[in-house]
Amino acid sequence: MLPPDLIIEDGTLLTMVEGERPIHHATVLIQGDKIADILSAGEKRPYFKGAEVLDAKDSIIMPGLVNAHGHTAMTLFRGLADDLPLKQWLFEKIFPAEAKYLNPETVYWGVLLGCIEMIASGTTTVSDGYFYQDATARAFQKAGLRALLAQGVIDFPAPGVPDPTQNLVVGKEFIERWANVSELIRPGLFCHSLTTCSDRTLQEAMKISEDFSLPLQLHLSETQEEVGEVIHRSGKRPVPHLDHLGLLSESLIGVHAVHLDDEEIEILARNKVGIVHCPQSNMKLASGMARVTEMLKKGLLLGLGTDGCASNNTLDLFKEMDTAAKLAKVSTLDPVSLGAATVLKMATVWGAKILGLEKETGTIEVGKKADILTVDLRKPHLAPLYHAFSTMVYSASGADVKDVIVNGRVLMKDRNFTGLDVEEVMAKVQEISEKIRTNATV
Ligand SMILES: [Zn+2]
């Protein structure tokens, strides 16, 4: 083989490949953007001159995390309006703030802040749905993360799309502009919800997505109120309504899916719809508890997302994993529900699959892209180590991540950023937040 460019040496490797146990004293060799070889204990690696070596002794090596749903630029509104009902929070606080303060410049800096936070907590792939997505894509390119970036589609005036009749034109043009720009960036569409997008908008958005072989994201049955509105309008619950419109397939990503009845879970499973669970957002907005255990039993594929920063208020997927596992247990009164290994799959391999990126990322396997994180275990709150999956889900936090590699490129080494100027980004966001702060009405 050709000599590697990067070596991650002597750690406990969680490949996240189905059925594989942790591999102790493993070394991962990376050539260019790909994983070239995995050496296990006892396999002496040859000396490679010139390769960068990351020491993973007493560390976990695992796939970078996949944040399967978010609105990255909403870091700008972190903590602006908390402890409110969803509808009031969205229509009285967030939508007005977005209308007033979002523009390509503010979105760019807000996204960079989110990217810094996500890299610092081990996320390497992000699914984002928002507005001014050209600015979002430029910021993701700068940050070096892998991303599915979707133009937000909503049937009323939106940031950057004042005329809602043009929402799909704007979306399609965004896809065309970014379809072949970078192997790390995949464009797409994100329909806000069944109550803010008409049936026709949803159907046309799906047609455009399928034409480009891209998934379509949709907030689905997030609140009881939303379900009631759909029933009132269509005479059907949301999932049968989507089925009636011909929108259920592997191309659809249903986000939240909190309020589903048994029949809806069956229909979603039958149509292989990917579901993204956002437990902290659902808890904070008191939307409810998604029936994760039942969905998994029916064979649905689930990923994990932080949702936007204004409804969480963090982008740390380690916290999200811990919450997902515990919420599943408390909602079923069953401590066996959603074990640590399963929740780690949601945050890695299953999330990648839902986004259509399973060939590239989500596991550590020879031939896949090198999207990897390490966690330093030499800390009191991570000792001793009995079960690596449990330690990662229940004890670790994003702050314990040491190194982050995306596409073979080291983005964070020993918690130092290699390409981003954190001070500059924080100063820019501080400037923007001062303007938001002075307007007390939002
Ligand atoms: Zn969302």
Side-chain angles (χ1 to χ4, degrees), residues 225-238:
E225 203 175 357
E226 176 193 335
V227 173
E229 269 185 56
V230 175
I231 294 172
H232 180 73
R233 216 182 59 199
S234 71
K236 294 188 182 70
R237 290 184 63 87

Side-chain angles (χ1 to χ4, degrees), residues 69 190-195 202 217-223 226-227 230 237-243 248 252-260 264 268 273-276 282 290 295:
H69 179 70
F190 156 59
C191 284
H192 185 265
S193 74
L194 280 174
T195 55
L202 290 164
Q217 303 179 62
L218 171 71
H219 285 149
L220 173 63
S221 299
E222 182 176 1
T223 63
E226 176 193 335
V227 173
V230 175
R237 290 184 63 87
V239 173
H241 181 57
L242 286 170
D243 200 13
L248 297 181
L252 187 70
I253 299 174
V255 178
H256 296 304
V258 174
H259 299 282
L260 302 177
E264 289 181 295
L268 290 170
V273 175
I275 301 295
V276 182
N282 298 155
M295 287 193 262

Side-chain angles (χ1 to χ4, degrees), residues 267-429:
I267 298 172
L268 290 170
R270 201 162 58 234
N271 289 282
K272 298 186 166 54
V273 175
I275 301 295
V276 182
H277 180 39
C278 304
Q280 295 204 92
S281 171
N282 298 155
M283 289 165 72
K284 183 159 177 277
L285 294 166
S287 303
M289 298 183 283
R291 299 172 66 195
V292 170
T293 307
E294 289 89 340
M295 287 193 262
L296 288 172
K297 270 188 196 146
K298 293 288 175 191
L300 271 164
L301 196 61
L302 269 88
L304 203 59
T306 57
D307 207 359
C309 209
S311 60
N312 190 314
N313 299 355
T314 146
L315 304 178
D316 180 349
L317 270 174
F318 278 89
K319 284 189 184 166
E320 208 70 39
M321 290 196 285
D322 180 50
T323 305
K326 288 173 181 165
L327 184 64
K329 294 172 199 314
V330 80
S331 68
T332 53
L333 297 179
D334 178 5
V336 176
S337 282
L338 198 57
T342 306
V343 86
L344 263 176
K345 285 183 201 166
M346 289 169 66
T348 54
V349 57
W350 291 351
K353 202 164 184 186
I354 285 170
L355 303 184
L357 297 170
E358 72 273 23
K359 287 201 180 98
E360 285 106 314
T361 194
T363 57
I364 296 185
E365 289 179 85
V366 172
K368 274 208 178 178
K369 303 288 187 180
D371 292 358
I372 297 171
L373 66 88
T374 69
V375 172
D376 187 356
L377 294 171
R378 285 170 292 198
K379 294 179 177 178
H381 65 281
L382 301 180
L385 182 75
Y386 294 118
H387 301 288
F389 293 138
S390 291
T391 300
M392 289 301 97
V393 171
Y394 298 123
S395 308
S397 77
D400 297 315
V401 173
K402 190 173 70 162
D403 309 301
V404 173
I405 296 119
V406 178
N407 218 36
R409 184 177 154 210
V410 182
L411 300 186
M412 186 173 79
K413 184 175 180 177
D414 214 4
R415 293 208 66 75
N416 293 308
F417 287 87
T418 58
L420 291 168
D421 184 340
V422 179
E423 296 301 321
E424 181 196 19
V425 174
M426 287 188 64
K428 288 281 186 187
V429 172

Side-chain angles (χ1 to χ4, degrees), residues 98-339:
E98 287 179 337
K100 191 157 186 174
Y101 298 108
L102 290 187
N103 58 55
E105 170 88 1
T106 57
V107 165
Y108 178 80
W109 292 109
V111 170
L112 272 183
L113 183 70
C115 288
I116 287 170
E117 185 184 353
M118 287 191 277
I119 295 166
S121 51
T123 291
T124 56
T125 297
V126 179
S127 175
D128 178 281
Y130 212 49
F131 304 104
Y132 295 114
Q133 288 301 70
D134 289 292
T136 300
R138 280 199 304 278
F140 268 91
Q141 263 196 312
K142 168 100 177 146
L145 284 165
R146 194 178 300 284
L148 170 65
L149 304 177
Q151 169 68 36
V153 174
I154 193 164
D155 280 336
F156 53 80
V161 195
D163 176 4
T165 65
Q166 297 302 299
N167 54 14
L168 289 164
V169 175
V170 170
K172 192 176 174 200
E173 286 173 357
F174 169 70
I175 293 174
E176 285 166 347
R177 267 196 304 282
W178 287 89
N180 297 304
V181 171
S182 158
E183 65 163 323
L184 289 178
I185 290 175
R186 196 165 297 192
L189 296 178
F190 156 59
C191 284
H192 185 265
S193 74
L194 280 174
T195 55
T196 51
C197 294
S198 70
D199 295 347
R200 192 161 162 259
T201 298
L202 290 164
Q203 283 175 315
E204 287 185 16
M206 180 56 92
K207 183 164 185 327
I208 294 168
S209 303
E210 284 179 341
D211 286 347
F212 286 91
S213 301
L214 293 166
L216 172 68
Q217 303 179 62
L218 171 71
H219 285 149
L220 173 63
S221 299
E222 182 176 1
T223 63
Q224 241 155 1
E225 203 175 357
E226 176 193 335
V227 173
E229 269 185 56
V230 175
I231 294 172
H232 180 73
R233 216 182 59 199
S234 71
K236 294 188 182 70
R237 290 184 63 87
V239 173
H241 181 57
L242 286 170
D243 200 13
H244 172 73
L245 296 176
L247 295 175
L248 297 181
S249 73
E250 273 176 291
S251 302
L252 187 70
I253 299 174
V255 178
H256 296 304
V258 174
H259 299 282
L260 302 177
D261 67 15
D262 291 345
E263 189 199 0
E264 289 181 295
I265 292 176
E266 295 268 0
I267 298 172
L268 290 170
R270 201 162 58 234
N271 289 282
K272 298 186 166 54
V273 175
I275 301 295
V276 182
H277 180 39
C278 304
Q280 295 204 92
S281 171
N282 298 155
M283 289 165 72
K284 183 159 177 277
L285 294 166
S287 303
M289 298 183 283
R291 299 172 66 195
V292 170
T293 307
E294 289 89 340
M295 287 193 262
L296 288 172
K297 270 188 196 146
K298 293 288 175 191
L300 271 164
L301 196 61
L302 269 88
L304 203 59
T306 57
D307 207 359
C309 209
S311 60
N312 190 314
N313 299 355
T314 146
L315 304 178
D316 180 349
L317 270 174
F318 278 89
K319 284 189 184 166
E320 208 70 39
M321 290 196 285
D322 180 50
T323 305
K326 288 173 181 165
L327 184 64
K329 294 172 199 314
V330 80
S331 68
T332 53
L333 297 179
D334 178 5
V336 176
S337 282
L338 198 57

